[in-house]
Amino acid sequence: MPWLVRDVVNDINKAVARRWRGLDLLLPEPSDLPEGCMAPLLSVAENGRPSGLGVCHHRHVPADTLAQTWGAATKFMLTVRLREADTRPATDDLLTQWRDHLETQPEAKADDTAAIVNWPAREVTGVQALLRHGLQPMAVIAARPPGRTVPSPAPPPGLVIRPAGPGDLGSVTELELGVVRYDAHFGGSVPRSATEALVRAESQAALAKRPGWIWLAERDGQPVALTVVEPPESATWIAGMTRPGATAYLQTMFVRPGERSGGIGASLVRHVHDQLDARGIDLTLLHYAQVNPVSAPFWHRMGYRPLWSTWEARPASTLR
Ligand SMILES: CC(C)(COP(=O)(O)OP(=O)(O)OC[C@H]1O[C@@H](n2cnc3c(N)ncnc32)[C@H](O)[C@@H]1OP(=O)(O)O)[C@@H](O)C(=O)NCCC(=O)NCCS
């Protein structure tokens, strides 16, 4: 990155760090900007001062990874840094420049693509600009701050919660696939021909590598619910979305359809939270689809709150 741009990045990052501290204490310090597909997009305010930077990153998600089940096959991600308290003008300007850039990219015209912006959930001033450019709020990254307690009524009678082991591969795979199918209603997941085999392989690896981080709830000896957590050493891919600490990622939560609304989900999550607290986890992150009617209220009742929202235009060519 040329020194001039680096100076602007440092300067804007300092201002963004100040603003984010006032906005949401769970946001990280803004890191150096990632390497993009070209020089950063720059927005300049009326007074001539740089007011925003945007870095575009093209990501091809391989078909033989489970990541392709959780979104478009080709992702164009814009990372933004916005200096002013009113983020709308700079957001608007950067998104216009980004749209013009994507229009020149033949690969952005394909169907299985998305233009994606991760946005601090409490950064409300720029939301109108995101909407104006055709971005839709798809997902939320929610956080459970340390020590947050929630009411804990008695668990449903006969419910047994236990760690899963390698012998539970069939049940774990089936319940994992339940989440994939349910989230597909909201565009959160995109089931692929390889999904089932990949879920099975990943579950097998997780059961072998991370015993004690996967829990099943059973009734009458039958598994009815599943929770899977990535410990801090596996959650580094998302830990940078919050301040430093022991950050875990709650990857999967599923209760069989006929067993819902009776307290099984809440009992299982309370059990898991007790374990995470005892293991010194500072913060737990998870994703839920913005319009999933059961997960948003459930997670908020369990002590989570929005930290980031993910905005997407699918396909990428619908960014306007
Ligand atoms: C989200 C999910 C895990 C919740 O599990 P659950 O077992 O239904 O959760 P609970 O029973 O603890 O709570 C659900 C509702 O039942 C109510 N409830 C709980 N115990 C109850 C009881 N004994 N009697 C009556 N109602 C009860 C809760 O108050 C809650 O009510 P609400 O929907 O009006 O808010 C489940 O719906 C699910 O698996 N959904 C599909 C997959 C999914 O969305 N996963 C999350 C992806 S991020």
Side-chain angles (χ1 to χ4, degrees), residues 20 58 130 133-134 159 200 243 261:
W20 280 8
H58 302 199
L130 298 166
H133 286 270
L159 193 75
R200 174 173 285 272
R243 64 188 184 184
S261 299

Side-chain angles (χ1 to χ4, degrees), residues 1 16 20 48 71 79 102-103 115 118 125 128 182 190 242 286 303:
M1 206 178 279
V16 171
W20 280 8
T79 305
L102 291 185
E103 275 176 3
N118 281 317
T125 60
Q128 289 280 354
Y182 193 72
V190 184
T242 188
L286 55 79

Side-chain angles (χ1 to χ4, degrees), residues 2 7 12 15 74-75 86 90 104 108-109 139 165-166 176 188 199 203 222 232-233 243 255 263 267 289 293 304 317:
D7 274 3
I12 290 193
T74 302
K75 296 177 175 177
D86 179 5
T104 67
K109 296 191 177 20
E176 283 276 12
V199 166
S203 300
Q222 295 303 312
E233 60 272 20
R243 64 188 184 184
V255 177
S267 297
Y304 291 78
S317 56

